[in-house]
Amino acid sequence: MQTQLNQQEGQATAHRKDAAAANSILVADCGSVLTKVSLLGLVEGQYRLMARGEAPTTLAAPQEDITRGIVQAINEIELVTGRQIIVDGRLLAPEQPDGNGVDVFVTTISAGGPLRLLVLGAASPTLTDLVSQAVSGLYAETHALPSPTFTASMAAGQLSQPGATPLPGVGPVPWTPERLALEWRRQIDRLRELQPHAAIIVGMADGPTGATPIQEACQLLVNAAQEQREKTRLFPLPVLYAAAPQYVEASRRLINGAGEVVRLDPLVSASNLSPISLAVSSLYERSILRRLPGSETLWSWSSATPVATATSLSSLVRFLAHHYTMNVMAVDAGGANTTLLLAGERGEFIPMVNAGIGVGSGLGELLKRVGSQRISRWLPFDVSDEELRQFVLNTMLHPHVVPSNQRELQISQAFAREAILLTAEALKTGALSNFSPDLVLATGGVLAHAPRPAQAALMLLDALQPRGVTSLVLDRTLLFQQLGAIATVNPVAAVQVNENDAVTHRLGTCVIPYGTLPPDQIALRVVVEYSNGRQVQVEVMSGSIEVIPLRLNEQALLTLYPAPTVDVGLGPGERARAAEEIDGGLVGLIIDARGRPLVLPADKAERHARLLQWSQAIGA
């Protein structure tokens, strides 16, 4: 098996040597619901998008081979272009003299589920949070399982049991040997329930419990392995050791065959998260990507190692922020995961992948996390809890089926708002409060396939709630997720396709005043000077949305006159005039004067009326 993988990687290396001079590039993005394939080629010396195809991802029975969905999507491209790319089930490479085949094939993947990482040892909330930060840009989820002694130490003098509420007048229950034994049993049962792909041991030995939590973490793995002798899928479990360095060898001897220990720098602060991130990324490739059905064939086709879709999108966002010296935010609302990436003009980068939260297979977990009231608040009609549960069940069972009517569409888009909101909340208010995006890139099926561009714009404004002036770009071609991977083999192609094809669906420029908006009064006066000399002046009332006509590829100068307590980025009441012309878009120039944070009316009838009013005003 390993020899075969080495041969495949050797073939990929040979392909990479010619990638920079490629005439054609085929790139596939395998999502949890859909597989998207794009064909790029040279047209008059520039790389352009030539054709694209979509097909359901084929990980589940009866296909159980990820390459079958790719082939189906390629068949659509072959039908459109007349180019033969697949021959006898194999990828034809390089491009032939007759124009058939392709020179380069690259892949991004978000299918397969997240990597489940168990945090063991002295897993305090602080250290668990640091581990979560380290893997925040990856398809990974963390589950803390502190050692019994550490749990008892944390609970001493506080609650009788983690998460429990003591009875009035009753003090803490002592951690007797019997109770510790029950805690051991609970932890082993929890480990078996989670079925983790890997574990990480954290904690130094300078606290009151000393090295005991580290020893108990190792013992937990040993005990669980002994109970699972007949079920070898879990063990030996990859173990990242980021605890007290003096006990690493003793831990390795204690774990023995129950785990494969990899030593990392001790986790003590946010300054040393990078080694954990790199190690978990490697584990994700080994434990998730390499185990996908059909992965051997996929690796043999690829000119570069397939990467996680979030990693590819991260590369694009950071490149755009650096190249254009601006703050860039990217949103990917997927079926199983929701991703939010922030890249600053000074090199800042904040990633957040909300693994398991999405608008397809992740819908059930989303509803569980936010509740039906947070979903229904975005709907201009009454909806019962039972209807929402039925919608979730149908979507999870048939994620490829699109909404069949306006009601289902609005429910789907309400879930999308909450998926993005929940992901933004996970970034913590501190990270977002100081970040003002100049550009928002939106991708993912629920956004890209919205029947009207204004619907995508309203979802983004409702969920992200940006402030000041920002531009919205919708990835209708679903290329954003692929460009980072393309850049690894041909940076020129990534730049040219991004400028020529990926950023063509501009929704428009948005002006979002904030501060203290005077109720039922003028919040902002907007003066637009078109390139033909025509001038338009609009007064925008607080609590409303206005759209000023400014078409795609049309530009205008913008001057803003806010009310004394209203801010558009320069301070309350300060007039702002754009130094350069702003861009129009498919929706136009959007003025969102609903206030920040956005507060929906508590009265149901009033809320329904407002939602309808905003939807009609923006053209959704």
Side-chain angles (χ1 to χ4, degrees):
M1 174 67 176
Q2 187 61 45
T3 302
Q4 187 176 18
L5 290 176
N6 290 338
Q7 290 174 347
Q8 293 168 4
E9 289 175 351
Q11 294 170 1
T13 302
H15 288 162
R16 280 195 291 272
K17 294 177 181 178
D18 301 323
N23 288 318
S24 54
I25 301 172
L26 193 68
V27 54
D29 175 48
C30 304
S32 61
V33 177
L34 291 176
T35 292
K36 291 81 67 177
V37 179
S38 301
L39 175 64
L40 316 180
L42 283 171
V43 179
E44 297 180 353
Q46 292 269 317
Y47 284 99
R48 300 296 305 268
L49 173 64
M50 301 180 70
R52 61 184 305 274
E54 283 187 7
T57 298
T58 51
L59 284 180
Q63 295 93 342
E64 293 186 290
D65 185 339
I66 195 170
T67 62
R68 293 192 179 185
I70 296 175
V71 170
Q72 291 172 23
I74 291 174
N75 290 156
E76 289 190 6
I77 293 176
E78 291 178 321
L79 185 64
V80 171
T81 63
R83 178 194 297 243
Q84 190 174 15
I85 300 174
I86 297 294
V87 178
D88 296 329
R90 295 181 296 105
L91 184 74
L92 182 60
E95 183 176 319
Q96 306 298 300
D98 59 4
N100 291 322
V102 291
D103 288 322
V104 173
F105 177 78
V106 292
T107 317
T108 61
I109 305 173
S110 59
L115 181 132
R116 292 183 297 279
L117 181 66
L118 203 59
V119 186
L120 303 176
S124 66
T126 299
L127 289 181
T128 302
D129 185 59
L130 286 176
V131 174
S132 297
Q133 289 182 44
V135 303
S136 63
L138 307 172
Y139 295 125
E141 54 186 35
T142 57
H143 301 273
L145 207 58
S147 75
T149 297
F150 183 78
T151 301
S153 175
M154 292 289 289
Q158 301 172 9
L159 299 181
S160 60
Q161 190 164 331
T165 302
L167 296 173
V170 179
V173 177
W175 282 77
T176 61
E178 293 77 12
R179 190 173 177 215
L180 284 172
L182 287 175
E183 179 65 15
W184 275 104
R185 181 71 261 162
R186 185 193 69 82
Q187 292 207 0
I188 291 177
D189 291 343
R190 179 63 173 154
L191 190 150
R192 293 175 63 181
E193 175 192 345
L194 288 172
Q195 295 282 297
H197 297 99
I200 180 169
I201 299 176
V202 297
M204 304 302 286
D206 50 4
T209 57
T212 304
I214 299 173
Q215 181 180 355
E216 290 183 345
C218 299
Q219 192 63 51
L220 174 65
L221 296 175
V222 172
N223 291 354
Q226 289 174 347
E227 292 193 8
Q228 297 270 312
R229 289 294 184 195
E230 71 284 1
K231 301 175 183 178
T232 58
R233 194 186 74 78
L234 276 180
F235 298 97
L237 193 70
V239 178
L240 305 178
Y241 185 91
Q246 64 269 35
Y247 296 115
V248 62
E249 292 304 325
S251 297
R252 186 176 277 117
R253 288 193 298 271
L254 181 57
I255 292 174
N256 197 7
E260 302 170 344
V261 179
V262 176
R263 178 179 177 177
L264 302 177
D265 293 337
L267 179 61
V268 292
S269 70
S271 62
N272 60 340
L273 301 183
S274 181
I276 295 176
S277 180
L278 291 173
V280 172
S281 179
S282 177
L283 285 174
Y284 175 76
E285 179 186 340
R286 188 176 93 185
S287 302
I288 304 295
L289 298 187
R290 290 279 193 178
R291 294 182 180 179
L292 295 174
S295 61
E296 294 181 26
T297 301
L298 185 61
W299 255 253
S300 70
W301 287 357
S302 300
S303 304
T305 302
V307 298
T309 302
T311 303
S312 174
L313 188 58
S314 295
S315 300
L316 172 67
V317 172
R318 299 179 79 167
F319 167 77
L320 292 177
H322 173 75
H323 185 71
Y324 295 104
T325 318
M326 62 169 59
N327 293 335
V328 179
M329 175 186 289
V331 184
D332 181 4
N337 312 288
T338 303
T339 303
L340 189 59
L341 306 169
L342 315 177
E345 59 184 348
R346 296 183 179 88
E348 312 95 321
F349 182 62
I350 307 172
M352 174 53 64
V353 176
N354 210 343
I357 298 295
V359 291
S361 60
L363 215 55
E365 182 63 23
L366 175 58
L367 182 61
K368 178 182 175 182
R369 294 272 289 274
V370 303
S372 57
Q373 288 187 345
R374 278 186 56 164
I375 302 297
S376 61
R377 65 175 174 161
W378 299 108
L379 298 171
F381 49 78
D382 290 330
V383 61
S384 66
D385 292 354
E386 178 58 31
E387 183 179 354
L388 288 179
R389 284 194 293 269
Q390 191 63 43
F391 178 86
V392 168
L393 181 60
N394 289 338
T395 301
M396 293 178 68
L397 289 174
H398 309 286
H400 307 102
V401 178
V402 298
S404 59
N405 54 54
Q406 182 68 10
R407 187 180 182 90
E408 289 184 357
L409 177 68
Q410 289 179 299
I411 293 175
S412 174
Q413 293 180 352
F415 274 103
R417 285 172 168 87
E418 285 301 326
I420 299 170
L421 260 171
L422 195 64
T423 307
E425 290 169 358
L427 273 174
K428 297 188 173 62
T429 54
L432 282 175
S433 60
N434 297 322
F435 190 90
S436 179
D438 302 303
L439 175 66
V440 175
L441 306 174
T443 188
V446 69
L447 292 165
H449 296 151
R452 297 180 182 178
Q455 294 172 351
L458 192 57
M459 280 188 276
L460 294 171
L461 290 172
D462 289 345
L464 296 176
Q465 300 186 30
R467 303 181 179 198
V469 180
T470 188
S471 294
L472 303 181
V473 175
L474 179 63
D475 179 23
R476 288 217 158 192
T477 59
L478 296 173
L479 274 171
F480 287 157
Q481 300 150 320
Q482 304 170 343
L483 290 175
I486 295 170
T488 62
V489 296
N490 193 320
V492 173
V495 172
Q496 291 177 352
V497 171
N498 175 65
E499 293 179 347
N500 294 328
D501 299 294
V503 195
T504 57
H505 296 91
R506 296 182 181 273
L507 296 176
T509 299
C510 300
V511 176
I512 306 102
Y514 54 98
T516 305
L517 274 64
D520 302 319
Q521 296 182 33
I522 296 172
L524 183 67
R525 185 160 56 90
V526 183
V527 178
V528 181
E529 302 173 48
Y530 294 90
S531 54
N532 62 4
R534 186 168 66 95
Q535 188 177 99
V536 171
Q537 180 174 300
V538 178
E539 293 179 340
V540 184
M541 302 293 290
S542 63
S544 68
I545 294 179
E546 296 281 350
V547 174
I548 301 173
L550 191 62
R551 296 187 302 272
L552 196 64
N553 299 322
E554 189 176 18
Q555 294 181 320
L557 287 172
L558 184 66
T559 307
L560 307 173
Y561 298 89
T565 58
V566 176
D567 195 344
V568 291
L570 298 179
E574 293 294 325
R575 181 189 77 122
R577 180 176 173 82
E580 299 178 352
E581 290 183 321
I582 61 166
D583 295 312
L586 298 170
V587 180
L589 172 60
I590 305 169
I591 315 296
D592 183 357
R594 297 177 296 170
R596 294 291 184 266
L598 177 61
V599 179
L600 299 175
D603 179 76
K604 183 170 64 174
E606 183 183 355
R607 185 172 65 251
H608 288 176
R610 283 292 184 93
L611 291 171
L612 284 172
Q613 177 189 1
W614 294 336
S615 180
Q616 291 169 359
I618 201 172

